[in-house]
Amino acid sequence: MAYSAKIGPSILSSDLSCLGSECVRMMECGADYLHLDVMDGHFVPNLTFGHPMVECLRKSVGQDPFFDMHMMVSRPEQWVKPMAAAGANQYTFHLEATTNPGNLIKEIRESGMKVGLAIKPGTTVEELAPWANQIDMALVMTVEPGFGGQKFMEDMMPKVSWLRSQFPSLDIEVDGGVGPDTIHKCAEAGANMIVSGSAVIGSDDPRSVIALLRTAVSEAIQKRSLDR
Ligand code: DX5
Ligand code: ZN
């Protein structure tokens, strides 16, 4: 099986005045990658940071950590080159934010980044499907994008199961309300890239939470491969 369990803390709910050290702390606690939430106050009703911050973060944490940029922005075309130059590894844009996903996918690749494609809860997985063979990762949002700490939407799981059945080796990410209480639903449905914000950052023992999330996903992957 091509895909493996990967846990990516969302640093949105960390102390943003210490972002560099928070990223380092997450990597030391066993994170496989870092999920960085970019919001523009237009595509979503909240505002975070942009490529200048990513550039500083890259300098501060070194070349190793993989930066998955979750671009909750209108006109995602605008930030491809600046994000690549700042040191982003993957550019995850929202299908709802563009009229020309094919061209954007091409531009992201030409900039040397991996391609992630995200859908909000109201967007069907059939709308994502035509692009699935051209992307590295599909992100199924399990909350309305905009804020950390929201309740997990279990009714998004059929989207994950369907994608897993249609695209057996695709990286499938879930984001929003994912933690020890909800990970098993995600793992059983077939998600393998797990974003977790408040459940990891807010824990006294993030290392154990990350390990627990990874174990749940690894076990589900193993079970799926035995069932085949
Ligand atoms: C929400 C963001 C998420 C968020 C996840 O719009 O995309 O990445 O930070 O945080 P939790 O895990 O607390 O829902
Ligand atoms: Zn996110």
Side-chain angles (χ1 to χ4, degrees), residues 10 12-13 35 37 39 70 72 141 143-150 175-178 195-199:
S10 158
L12 191 60
S13 33
H35 177 89
D37 291 299
M39 305 188 190
H70 182 188
M72 287 165 273
M141 288 304 296
V143 296
E144 282 299 338
F147 301 91
Q150 301 183 76
D175 179 13
V178 182
V195 176
S196 185
S198 39

Side-chain angles (χ1 to χ4, degrees), residues 145-212:
F147 301 91
Q150 301 183 76
K151 188 174 179 292
F152 177 74
M153 296 170 72
E154 190 177 337
D155 54 344
M156 294 299 118
M157 291 304 96
K159 292 188 188 178
V160 176
S161 312
W162 187 84
L163 275 177
R164 180 53 72 217
S165 70
Q166 299 298 306
F167 305 100
S169 57
L170 182 66
D171 277 327
I172 303 175
E173 185 178 64
V174 283
D175 179 13
V178 182
D181 296 342
T182 51
I183 188 62
H184 291 95
K185 305 274 182 213
C186 302
E188 276 159 30
N192 68 300
M193 291 183 70
I194 308 299
V195 176
S196 185
S198 39
V200 170
I201 306 273
S203 164
D204 293 338
D205 187 0
R207 182 182 296 277
S208 301
V209 177
I210 290 172
L212 182 156

Side-chain angles (χ1 to χ4, degrees), residues 35-178:
H35 177 89
L36 307 182
D37 291 299
V38 176
M39 305 188 190
D40 68 350
H42 188 258
F43 182 73
V44 288
N46 198 3
L47 195 59
T48 56
F49 51 81
H51 56 93
M53 173 81 103
V54 177
E55 189 180 345
C56 293
L57 218 43
R58 177 56 81 198
K59 282 191 187 128
S60 147
V61 303
Q63 284 310 303
D64 273 352
F66 184 92
F67 288 175
D68 169 29
M69 305 307 310
H70 182 188
M71 302 300 297
M72 287 165 273
V73 300
S74 303
R75 299 190 54 227
E77 295 80 8
Q78 201 176 349
W79 309 114
V80 173
K81 285 192 174 71
M83 278 298 176
N89 301 100
Q90 176 160 283
Y91 196 90
T92 301
F93 67 96
H94 269 267
L95 186 57
E96 303 85 2
T98 180
T99 51
N100 195 341
N103 196 49
L104 185 47
I105 290 170
K106 190 167 154 277
E107 281 177 18
I108 297 168
R109 282 218 189 287
E110 283 171 0
S111 298
M113 295 182 289
K114 289 183 135 187
V115 181
L117 180 53
I119 50 171
K120 296 207 282 186
T123 304
T124 66
V125 80
E126 285 80 7
E127 293 169 76
L128 183 150
W131 310 104
N133 286 321
Q134 299 178 40
I135 59 178
D136 297 291
M137 186 199 84
L139 164 53
V140 175
M141 288 304 296
T142 45
V143 296
E144 282 299 338
F147 301 91
Q150 301 183 76
K151 188 174 179 292
F152 177 74
M153 296 170 72
E154 190 177 337
D155 54 344
M156 294 299 118
M157 291 304 96
K159 292 188 188 178
V160 176
S161 312
W162 187 84
L163 275 177
R164 180 53 72 217
S165 70
Q166 299 298 306
F167 305 100
S169 57
L170 182 66
D171 277 327
I172 303 175
E173 185 178 64
V174 283
D175 179 13
V178 182

